[in-house]
Amino acid sequence: MCGIFGVVFRPDAGIAPEFARSVVERLYKFSETRGKEAAGLAIHDGRSIQLLKEARAASVFIETERYREVFEGALAHWSNGASECGASAGGARNALAMIGHSRLVTNGFQSSADNNQPVWANGVVGIHNGIIVNDAELWRRHPELQRKSEVDTEVLVNLLRLHFDATHDAAEATRLAFEEIRGAASIAMFMDDLESLLLATNTGSLFRLTNDANTFLAFASERFILQKLATSSDFERHFGKVRIAQVRAGTGVLVGLKDLAQSEFRAIGPKDGEQKLGAAGAPAPKHLQIVDHTRRARNLRRCKQCILPETYPFMDFDEKGVCRYCRNWRRIAVKGPQKLAELVEPYRSKDGSPDVIVAFSGGRDSSYGLHYVKTQLGMNPVAFTYDWGFVTDLARRNQARICGKLGVEHILRSADITTKRRYVRKNVEAWLERPELGMVTLFTAGDKEFYSHARQLRKETGIKLVIFSTGNMIEDTPYKTGLCGIREGDHGMTLTGLPLKNELHLLCYYAWNYLKNPRYLNESLFDTFNAYYQTFVVKDDFLYLFHYLDWREEEIVGTIRREYDWEVATDTTSTWRIGDGTAAFYNYIYDTIAGFTEDEVMLSNMIREGHLTRDQALAKSEEYRAPRMPSIREYAQIAGFNCEEALAVINAAPKLY
């Protein structure tokens, strides 16, 4: 089971900040024996509750810059005696209170920050040791509660808030919450409107340490942890005589954050008679701000016109806060459907035989493209798919839906999938050895062979016209070359249109990174070089549908959903890239390290073209950027690398923010 622990230092504890810091660090290290998969911190200094959690061992977590930043800020405020929230009526300052967690994974992958602790929701921040076995039932019983993670602790945090709002009594709220749960729970909680630390347990796996002067309190999951703390260097000299007591099974304690007054209460069973909790259980005069530093990228400076952040390649803002990409944007001018009809007319067959090859991934654009070519242009297409090992089952089902209803022949070309997946695994593992954002595109190099297969299929069938539904500027992603140091983002609406000087720059960039990281020099090297050759060297004479048609998301998705019952993903509300097995993984990398995903680039382009307002785009961005953990796990399983180890490296990698 996990380790939960924490401390409360009274304002007049008379200890130096350095020693206070060392006490907390000792608790992290002593509690690490109970779980090493993740660690977290919530620290209450009277003005706010600061929150941070990461998927790494506690002993590593406390050495990180982000931990130091959060902890030192609260410590400085406490030691200096300043208080932005003001003094109480009695003139007393708040104590410094901290709760910590060292996680042994049970429910939910630790690589998703939402699954790690402390967990917070609706103004309650809490840590929990144990397993709530009826959490699914509780979510069903309380549809008014919003679930954001897989971890069982989240339902307990929500229940505490629900019952506290109804009773305005922390002890009664705890009793009602424990009455609903089944399983084991030892908890420590802060509320933004309660000037108390709440401790409670239904197993007795919770112990507290106090000193005679009542200037200090610590708690932990085991008596032994507190004994180690009490006998550690200089502890007795600073705090004097201490005593350790168990928080008995079925009981709770409210610890006042001004004077460390403790009120015990019954957490299980009938409500205590006429017991009054006094100040320890009384609501605070106002709500405190809860600041979650775990997802600090969300607070990046963004363009005032679009939603691109300051970490986007070559970003700058003018005096009005508008980014260079908005300032330089040229409205998309397509050639028009009439021009498209004129262009394809010479290729039209007279006898109904196939007259066009349509590249078909099963994604939204290619699905609409096949629909348009067949029903609007009135041509006789052959659909072509290149399966390189990471086409999802979802995409295959959508391919079957559309080809079946349209009566279109579907030609499939398959790679040596086992080999392709092995190449991806080796390049992912090489990248994890030395994370470099510009090299992420190496993971998808294997799919560029579809250009070659399209050319070969043209020879085999004698069909001269090949149509791609890629290449629209709304879905343009120039940041991928920007992360390689290429400033110019306009590549003619297709990757193959990159200017020669930029192609050479890209080649040099890859060569330099191969030298810096010899693990890239593996058996995938020829496959990667072939991808470069097929993309940038061989002449591109394909027709791109959205160079002629306006790209409208509502029309595209609405048509294929309505006409073909086109299937959407269950782990995202976005409809882009859901047939691509790699997208969830590389977007997790971009979001974690750079603070943006390709969805935000698309949404920014939609703002510039007048398809969305900025507020609408921001709302969609928040929906889309949630990590697609089921898809990420499936990708790792298919490619053959350890998902949790990979995500731990990504989470720990240096950030651009």
Side-chain angles (χ1 to χ4, degrees), residues 329-348:
W329 182 258
R330 299 191 301 272
R331 293 298 296 264
I332 298 172
V334 298
K335 300 174 185 178
Q338 182 60 39
K339 182 68 175 177
L340 174 63
E342 294 173 1
L343 193 152
V344 303
E345 187 60 32
Y347 297 94
R348 191 183 302 276

Side-chain angles (χ1 to χ4, degrees), residues 295-342:
R295 297 195 179 278
R296 193 165 56 177
R298 296 183 187 276
N299 300 319
L300 293 171
R301 181 188 180 192
R302 295 182 182 274
C303 174
K304 298 296 185 182
Q305 185 168 307
C306 71
I307 61 173
L308 291 183
E310 58 189 304
T311 51
Y312 196 82
F314 302 107
M315 177 57 77
D316 65 65
F317 302 101
D318 65 13
E319 66 279 0
K320 296 180 180 178
V322 178
C323 75
R324 68 186 301 268
Y325 297 95
C326 285
R327 300 196 306 268
N328 297 331
W329 182 258
R330 299 191 301 272
R331 293 298 296 264
I332 298 172
V334 298
K335 300 174 185 178
Q338 182 60 39
K339 182 68 175 177
L340 174 63
E342 294 173 1

Side-chain angles (χ1 to χ4, degrees), residues 56-115:
R56 59 178 85 201
S59 56
V60 178
F61 173 68
I62 60 176
E63 297 297 330
T64 64
E65 180 180 348
R66 298 176 80 180
Y67 170 85
R68 296 282 185 186
E69 177 184 320
V70 173
F71 191 86
E72 295 296 335
L75 194 62
H77 173 77
W78 171 72
S79 60
N80 291 336
S83 177
E84 293 181 5
C85 61
S88 69
R93 300 193 334 262
N94 272 67
L96 179 70
M98 163 269 170
I99 57 177
H101 192 263
S102 186
R103 186 181 184 203
L104 173 67
V105 171
T106 51
N107 292 7
F109 272 40
Q110 76 266 21
S111 46
S112 173
D114 289 336
N115 289 331

Side-chain angles (χ1 to χ4, degrees), residues 452-473:
S452 173
H453 283 286
R455 297 180 183 109
Q456 182 63 32
L457 190 60
R458 183 160 49 190
K459 294 178 182 178
E460 293 173 1
T461 62
I463 300 171
K464 302 301 182 184
L465 179 61
V466 179
I467 294 180
F468 281 82
S469 299
T470 56
N472 75 80
M473 281 294 288

Side-chain angles (χ1 to χ4, degrees), residues 357 359-361 384-388 413 415 420 444-458 466-470 495-496 530-531 534-535 540 542 544:
I357 297 169
F360 185 44
S361 69
F384 155 63
T385 298
Y386 174 57
D387 192 334
W388 69 292
R413 290 290 182 266
K420 285 280 191 179
T444 58
D447 77 340
K448 301 303 181 286
E449 203 172 323
F450 72 82
Y451 288 124
S452 173
H453 283 286
R455 297 180 183 109
Q456 182 63 32
L457 190 60
R458 183 160 49 190
V466 179
I467 294 180
F468 281 82
S469 299
T470 56
L495 188 60
T496 56
N530 183 53
Q534 296 294 339
T535 305
D540 178 2
F542 305 127
Y544 291 89

